[in-house]
Amino acid sequence: METRKDGGEALLEALRKLGIDYILSSPGSEWSPVWEALARQKLGNAPGPVFVECWHESVAVDMAIGYTQVTGRMQAVMLHAGVGLLQGSMAVYGALQGEIPMLVLSGQSLSLGEDPSIEIESQWYGGLSVAGGIHRLAQPFVKWANQVTSPHTLFESIVRAGEMAQRIPLGPVYLDVPLEYMVEAWTPPADDRQVPPAPRVQPHPDEIAKVLALVLAAKNPVVVAETSGRDPEAVAALVEFAELLAIPVIDGRTSAYANFPTDHPLYLGVANYQYLRDADLVLLVSGRAPWYPPSQRPTAAPIVSIHENPIKTHMGYQHINAELYLEGEVASALRLLTQGARAAKFDASRASERRQRWTRAHAEVEAGLRAAEREARAQPGIDPVALLAEIAETMPGDAIYVDETITHNLLVRQHLRWTRPQSFFRIPNGGLGQGIGLALGIKLAAPKRPVVLLVGDGGFLYNPIIQALAASKRYDLPILVIVFNNGLYEAMKQGHVLYYPEGAAASADLFHGVKIDAPDFAGFGSHFGFHGAKVETLGELKPALQAALASVKGGKTAILNVAISR
């Protein structure tokens, strides 16, 4: 057996040094050197990344996103040339917007058959070569893109790209790895260093002191959180900070994580910005786009942004109305504020009065939600609020929810409940069609917790369904998929009516791009022996949810096609 080390081994060793757990890939013909290195790794029982083969590029990328969202650890994605990169580009763009570190690799041939010293397959000439280089295609949707410059720079280029992806702002980094460099002989570096993790950065003490003074002086401070729940430490730090000072927490309008326990007496629900009207200080924790319209701030109070990366370079426009920024790791910033408040001997009587007031407000929010659920259950058919109420009552407390709904996403965040971190993830903002892959990546990272994907019928059809279900089967990743089926692209209809409320389409009920005449979604899993059921009445719902959950616990993915009334 040949044991010569080449650029494929260099690439794999770089991934080992970066601490990569998985290479998630939609295979391409440039990767034979890496596959050879992986074969040697397996035959030699050597430690290193596990290769996960996916039938679609976005499944690979989204699984990497989901895995990183739970573990915090960057993963590698290997795609094929420029065509595979473009196929997966929407999901990669989602990683950019979601600030998910990722190492994205694809390759090409540079010699295109004209170098007599190396045999290159013919598909690279004409069909797969890209003028200006593949990295030029990637530049708009990644943090940084480049091409490996020689076989001598391949190893360190991979390491550097991985380190770059994990620096603030976090995000996907792309490298084009030419095939010719991967088949060249490689000598491992003499220093053999293990790549250190990115340092954790906390705000400057002077900035902490400024914000702490505002917090201690405020009579009616309020927290608005959007994405702080991506870090479980930040969740714990926010709970401790809020409890000490009796400050209520509202999930922002674009909240994408489980930022705060929904049963906590200081929790005031999602986008309930009416509680900001009388605030004299607003702490925007990990805010990205909290207000809409952006310049229409919901309060006259000063707004303090607490975020490691508040100004988003990937956004075409952003206005969060902050008067003060506290930049650094969110968990560290909150802990420093808590420590400062304790050292200042914050007046406990002020906290007691506020706590009583906000506990009453929390009870009012909860009562309103329960009343809405009772009303929904009394409606004909299956109202989406009734569906969410049944899901919340049926799923266990350790369930992880993945949300890929559009017109129902506010209802989802209002009516589902969680008490522990990492219980809710909304798809990154690259676009629809990512939910199943994201849920599979989350399941890969949290195999003992049930993972529930909530997706509209339109969004479900954007997913590479068969390819994603195949990955679920092959890698033993059972998830529960609940399709909110209203037979419409409701967002399209709402947008049309917004601009033309008395137009021809609205008057004659003649809409384009709205109706979905789809097959029974529950049947898609039958190709893999999965459970599926169509649910059309409220009486069928709870037994169907229970049977689907039992299927998932038994190791088989389940799909519920739920006909909803709106």
Side-chain angles (χ1 to χ4, degrees):
M1 183 177 69
E2 184 179 1
T3 59
R4 180 185 75 108
K5 291 186 176 181
D6 58 15
E9 186 67 44
L11 192 155
L12 185 59
E13 180 62 17
L15 299 186
R16 293 189 189 108
K17 296 299 186 187
L18 288 165
I20 299 296
D21 300 323
Y22 291 96
I23 301 170
L24 299 114
S25 178
S26 179
S29 52
E30 67 266 47
W31 296 121
S32 297
V34 177
W35 295 335
E36 181 69 12
L38 284 166
R40 287 196 296 266
Q41 173 181 281
K42 186 173 182 64
L43 291 172
N45 292 316
V50 175
F51 187 78
V52 174
E53 183 178 314
C54 301
W55 292 356
H56 195 282
E57 289 81 357
S58 68
V59 175
V61 177
D62 286 321
M63 286 184 67
I65 291 173
Y67 187 87
T68 298
Q69 283 183 312
V70 174
T71 65
R73 297 194 298 274
M74 177 190 71
Q75 301 306 303
V77 172
M78 290 189 351
L79 305 176
H80 177 43
V83 291
L85 175 66
L86 291 175
Q87 184 74 276
S89 62
M90 182 192 71
V92 177
Y93 181 56
L96 178 71
Q97 290 211 335
E99 299 182 53
I100 307 296
M102 182 185 298
L103 182 57
V104 184
L105 308 169
S106 73
Q108 63 172 321
S109 168
L110 299 179
S111 62
L112 300 171
E114 297 287 23
D115 183 348
S117 69
I118 182 171
E119 186 173 352
I120 293 294
E121 295 170 286
S122 62
Q123 72 268 20
W124 295 102
Y125 173 61
L128 295 175
S129 63
V130 176
I134 298 173
H135 58 289
R136 183 174 65 88
L137 302 178
Q139 286 169 349
F141 53 84
V142 296
K143 175 181 172 179
W144 181 85
N146 204 8
Q147 181 184 89
V148 174
T149 58
S150 79
H152 310 291
T153 62
L154 192 158
F155 174 80
E156 284 297 342
S157 293
I158 299 291
V159 169
R160 176 176 180 251
E163 291 188 290
M164 191 181 302
Q166 297 175 86
R167 260 54 184 190
I168 302 297
L170 304 172
V173 165
Y174 170 78
L175 267 183
D176 168 12
V177 188
L179 177 58
E180 288 84 348
Y181 301 163
M182 286 191 283
V183 296
E184 285 277 342
W186 174 66
T187 301
D191 63 359
D192 195 33
R193 74 181 179 107
Q194 191 70 29
V195 179
R200 302 170 70 172
V201 180
Q202 66 184 31
H204 191 277
D206 290 349
E207 302 302 322
I208 289 288
K210 288 179 187 178
V211 175
L212 180 60
L214 292 174
V215 171
L216 294 177
K219 295 180 179 179
N220 195 28
V222 179
V223 168
V224 174
E226 286 202 310
T227 62
S228 52
R230 65 184 292 155
D231 178 8
E233 289 189 25
V235 177
L238 181 56
V239 170
E240 184 182 14
F241 173 74
E243 287 180 344
L244 175 66
L245 296 159
I247 299 177
V249 177
I250 301 170
D251 270 321
R253 72 173 195 94
T254 61
S255 57
Y257 294 88
N259 301 311
F260 202 77
T262 59
D263 65 344
H264 197 286
L266 291 171
Y267 181 68
L268 297 184
V270 184
N272 285 330
Y273 291 161
Q274 67 271 23
Y275 294 109
L276 300 182
R277 292 174 193 151
D278 297 325
D280 56 359
L281 178 67
V282 173
L283 301 171
L284 178 60
V285 180
S286 294
R288 183 184 71 92
W291 332 119
Y292 192 81
S295 58
Q296 189 171 309
R297 58 189 295 156
T299 178
I303 297 173
V304 177
S305 169
I306 303 175
H307 204 315
E308 62 268 16
N309 179 44
I311 308 301
K312 310 298 185 186
T313 57
H314 62 264
M315 292 179 65
Y317 180 73
Q318 183 189 25
H319 185 20
I320 61 176
N321 293 276
E323 278 81 17
L324 189 62
Y325 292 93
L326 195 58
E327 295 190 25
E329 186 186 61
V330 172
S332 295
L334 292 169
R335 283 195 293 260
L336 288 169
L337 290 173
T338 302
Q339 292 166 11
R342 284 202 174 99
K345 294 182 170 54
F346 175 72
D347 185 355
S349 63
R350 288 172 58 194
S352 176
E353 184 278 326
R354 286 206 301 239
R355 184 172 289 106
Q356 292 175 25
R357 174 158 48 96
W358 294 124
T359 297
R360 291 193 297 270
H362 168 79
E364 291 171 1
V365 170
E366 286 293 299
L369 293 173
R370 302 295 88 78
E373 291 166 5
R374 288 192 297 272
E375 182 179 350
R377 285 184 165 113
Q379 302 301 314
I382 303 176
D383 187 275
V385 171
L387 169 57
L388 289 164
E390 292 290 350
I391 293 171
E393 290 180 5
T394 305
M395 294 302 121
D398 64 341
I400 299 175
Y401 298 105
V402 181
D403 179 26
E404 196 177 20
T405 64
I406 296 298
T407 55
H408 300 108
N409 80 85
L410 178 59
L411 296 177
V412 166
R413 289 176 290 144
Q414 288 174 328
H415 291 276
L416 292 182
R417 307 163 206 164
W418 45 80
T419 59
R420 56 191 290 181
Q422 298 187 321
S423 293
F424 176 78
F425 298 89
R426 178 143 177 83
I427 61 164
N429 295 297
L432 293 172
Q434 303 181 68
I436 308 178
L438 189 71
L440 293 175
I442 289 170
K443 184 67 176 180
L444 183 65
K448 295 183 179 181
R449 296 180 66 180
V451 176
V452 183
L453 171 63
L454 313 173
V455 58
D457 48 345
F460 187 65
L461 289 171
Y462 285 127
N463 278 264
I465 300 169
I466 295 298
Q467 296 92 328
L469 294 179
S472 172
K473 175 79 170 183
R474 179 171 182 177
Y475 295 104
D476 193 22
L477 300 172
I479 61 172
L480 171 53
V481 180
I482 302 176
V483 182
F484 286 47
N485 186 354
N486 59 7
L488 302 170
Y489 290 108
E490 180 64 27
M492 313 297 185
K493 182 177 180 180
Q494 289 180 6
H496 191 133
V497 173
L498 175 67
Y499 295 112
Y500 303 98
E502 298 179 2
S507 300
D509 194 22
L510 184 62
F511 293 97
H512 292 78
V514 170
K515 184 175 174 54
I516 298 176
D517 187 12
D520 182 5
F521 299 122
F524 280 96
S526 63
H527 304 285
F528 306 96
F530 292 161
H531 175 85
K534 187 173 184 179
V535 185
E536 297 180 293
T537 68
L538 192 59
E540 297 171 335
L541 184 54
K542 185 174 286 292
L545 287 168
Q546 292 170 336
L549 181 60
S551 173
V552 171
K553 288 181 177 180
K556 290 187 176 182
T557 283
I559 301 174
L560 292 185
N561 178 16
V562 183
I564 56 174
S565 59
R566 60 184 174 102

